[in-house]
Amino acid sequence: MLPAWGEARGVRGAGGRGRGGGKTQARPLSPYLPPRSLPVSPAESEAETDPEAEVFCQRPEVSVAGAGLTRKRKCLVMAAAAGLGALPDSLLLEILRLLPLRERLRGARVCRRWRRLVQDKMLWRHVDLMPYKISSRILWHLLKQYLCNSLRILKVRGALYSMRKLEFLSPALFQALGKQCPSLHHLCLTQADLRRLPYDCIPSSLKSMKLSWCEIPALWFQRSASPETPRVLPQLQHLMIHNVSAFSDQHLLNISSQTSLRTLTLSETYRLTDAGIQRAAPYLEDLERLVLHKCVITDAAVHVIGRHMKQLRSLEFSNTCSITDAGLACLAALKCLETLRLESRFKLSPDAIVAVCQALPQLRNLNLDGIDFEDQEIHKIQVKVVQEAFRSNNKPGRH
């Protein structure tokens, strides 16, 4: 049996005296390895102080057998960097633009020239942080160092389903984002807890917003009741809600009454009812595209859609309950409609579909995927509807 490292070196335990005569504290010793820190790579040591390295410079664990491959890869990278140095800035910017965000920030550590190029505004117009685990410290660092008035699109994943106890998307962060990035037009938030975030903290420059698997408060899409100076609310034109369980009739009324929406996508919002669509429909007269996926609506909602949303060019009902021939007939008033998608097992007859198609002069695309028709019924629709305006996945021989 091998002696302990401490015993071989003559290190005393608790109560013993060290070289200087003072008492030494006891510490666990391994019988095989000395109790000293292993060599730390520059990237790992820098990660302790640099917010960028904390996330974007993490390296995967490499086995001992693959250590040689890692050294070879480093040599190739250094050689490639030396060759790339001869390229003009314009070509290097195009190369950096095609790199993932993590690799782009790593490139800023090559030399001063690359760091200057990485900070170019053109590279920070579209920022997608979805693949990474982001903390408040990281996001603040990116906001101060890289995100500026050139930012157009920002995609962020929150901490709703992570082990993190506190959501890092704070009101102060969004207010700073609005001041630092006045050209930000599209914001995509996924798995974010927004229940403590007032809606008037959202950057007022936004034109499009997408929320997926988020939690929102009951009083949102409206100005907060705080006595502070009122802020300008974003004038959204495109709103996409996917699997936001708290989205209700009141939310739809709030957002439709304050902005002039052109695109509205509501997916898996089971709290939305016919009454909510009826109340919001008069404010959605400029709507051009409407998608209702897994929403509990009936013919009553379809009736108000045909009555108020005259500018619709694209309409989609998918996995939606209780739409019959009577409700489908209400869509005949949408004279600008170009695309109609009915993707579910509706109780519709071929005659009702033919009638509504013939009443829509601008209709170019018709999708009936999911509606169970016999071959004869499909053929009947194809004969009576213009072939160029019919695109259905229900081909003959498929039922």
Side-chain angles (χ1 to χ4, degrees):
M1 181 175 179
L2 296 176
W5 182 84
E7 296 175 359
R9 301 282 177 148
V11 178
R12 299 178 183 271
R17 296 184 179 274
R19 183 176 299 178
K23 291 185 177 181
T24 59
Q25 297 181 354
R27 56 181 178 178
L29 299 177
S30 169
Y32 303 109
L33 296 176
R36 57 183 179 181
S37 59
L38 296 176
V40 180
S41 65
E44 293 172 347
S45 61
E46 192 174 5
E48 298 179 358
T49 56
D50 193 345
E52 292 179 15
E54 181 180 338
V55 171
F56 299 109
C57 293
Q58 294 176 352
R59 297 185 304 174
E61 297 182 358
V62 181
S63 62
V64 177
L69 295 178
T70 303
R71 297 190 189 97
K72 183 178 180 180
R73 180 183 177 186
K74 289 182 179 179
C75 295
L76 292 176
V77 170
M78 294 177 62
L84 291 174
L87 297 177
D89 289 355
S90 58
L91 290 181
L92 282 177
L93 284 174
E94 289 297 324
I95 295 174
L96 291 172
R97 184 178 63 84
L98 298 176
L99 291 178
L101 186 59
R102 174 185 294 179
E103 304 302 328
R104 189 186 306 168
L105 289 175
R106 285 178 175 175
R109 303 170 185 273
V110 173
C111 61
R112 293 181 179 179
R113 180 193 179 196
W114 280 40
R115 184 172 184 83
R116 174 179 58 82
L117 292 176
V118 169
Q119 293 177 340
D120 191 275
K121 295 180 179 181
M122 185 194 73
L123 301 180
W124 297 96
R125 292 179 181 177
H126 302 164
V127 177
D128 185 3
L129 301 177
M130 290 289 189
Y132 310 106
K133 294 181 179 179
I134 303 297
S135 64
S136 176
R137 182 165 172 255
I138 292 294
L139 203 51
W140 275 107
H141 176 78
L142 292 177
L143 182 61
K144 293 177 181 178
Q145 296 295 328
Y146 299 101
L147 306 183
C148 56
N149 56 2
S150 63
L151 183 64
R152 300 290 190 273
I153 299 176
L154 178 61
K155 300 179 180 180
V156 182
R157 183 182 301 275
L160 184 61
Y161 298 144
S162 68
M163 300 299 294
R164 202 178 287 118
K165 298 296 184 181
L166 183 63
E167 178 63 58
F168 61 87
L169 298 176
S170 62
L173 180 63
F174 275 100
Q175 291 176 14
L177 184 65
K179 294 179 181 179
Q180 185 82 5
C181 309
S183 300
L184 179 61
H185 292 161
H186 178 73
L187 178 63
C188 180
L189 299 178
T190 300
Q191 299 178 6
D193 189 354
L194 308 176
R195 287 172 290 188
R196 296 184 179 181
L197 183 71
Y199 182 67
D200 49 12
C201 292
I202 300 295
S204 59
S205 60
L206 287 184
K207 301 299 181 183
S208 174
M209 183 165 61
K210 180 178 181 180
L211 303 179
S212 302
W213 292 283
C214 295
E215 290 290 343
I216 60 176
L219 299 177
W220 221 53
F221 296 108
Q222 64 180 9
R223 197 180 307 276
S224 62
S226 62
E228 301 178 358
T229 304
R231 303 183 181 91
V232 179
L233 297 180
Q235 297 299 308
L236 297 178
Q237 297 180 0
H238 311 279
L239 178 63
M240 290 142 282
I241 305 293
H242 177 66
N243 209 344
V244 178
S245 59
F247 190 86
S248 63
D249 294 344
Q250 187 62 44
H251 289 127
L252 180 59
L253 179 62
N254 292 341
I255 189 64
S256 60
S257 61
Q258 295 178 5
T259 62
S260 180
L261 289 176
R262 296 173 55 189
T263 300
L264 178 61
T265 300
L266 302 176
S267 176
E268 300 186 52
T269 53
Y270 66 90
R271 295 180 184 269
L272 184 66
T273 64
D274 289 343
I277 296 181
Q278 290 173 353
R279 293 169 59 190
Y283 302 101
L284 297 174
E285 295 181 349
D286 296 330
L287 199 65
E288 297 181 1
R289 185 172 187 266
L290 175 62
V291 177
L292 297 177
H293 176 70
K294 291 187 179 180
C295 298
V296 185
I297 64 172
T298 63
D299 290 344
V302 181
H303 173 72
V304 296
I305 290 175
R307 180 181 178 184
H308 294 283
M309 306 180 192
K310 303 290 187 180
Q311 302 301 319
L312 276 180
R313 297 181 180 275
S314 178
L315 178 60
E316 178 179 341
F317 297 116
S318 57
N319 294 330
T320 309
C321 304
S322 303
I323 295 182
T324 64
D325 290 349
L328 186 64
C330 299
L331 302 180
L334 305 177
K335 301 302 181 183
C336 297
L337 195 64
E338 299 176 358
T339 300
L340 178 60
R341 301 172 65 92
L342 304 172
E343 298 183 0
S344 184
R345 297 189 177 275
F346 294 109
K347 298 179 181 179
L348 302 176
S349 65
D351 293 335
I353 295 176
V354 170
V356 72
C357 290
Q358 292 178 343
L360 301 175
Q362 302 298 326
L363 188 65
R364 296 294 178 267
N365 301 308
L366 175 63
N367 192 311
L368 304 177
D369 192 18
I371 301 181
D372 194 5
F373 283 145
E374 298 293 338
D375 295 345
Q376 295 180 354
E377 296 172 331
I378 292 293
H379 180 70
K380 181 179 180 181
I381 297 175
Q382 290 176 333
V383 169
K384 293 190 176 182
V385 179
V386 181
Q387 294 289 338
E388 290 77 6
F390 184 86
R391 292 179 61 183
S392 172
N393 291 329
N394 294 276
K395 298 180 180 179
R398 177 181 169 190
H399 59 275

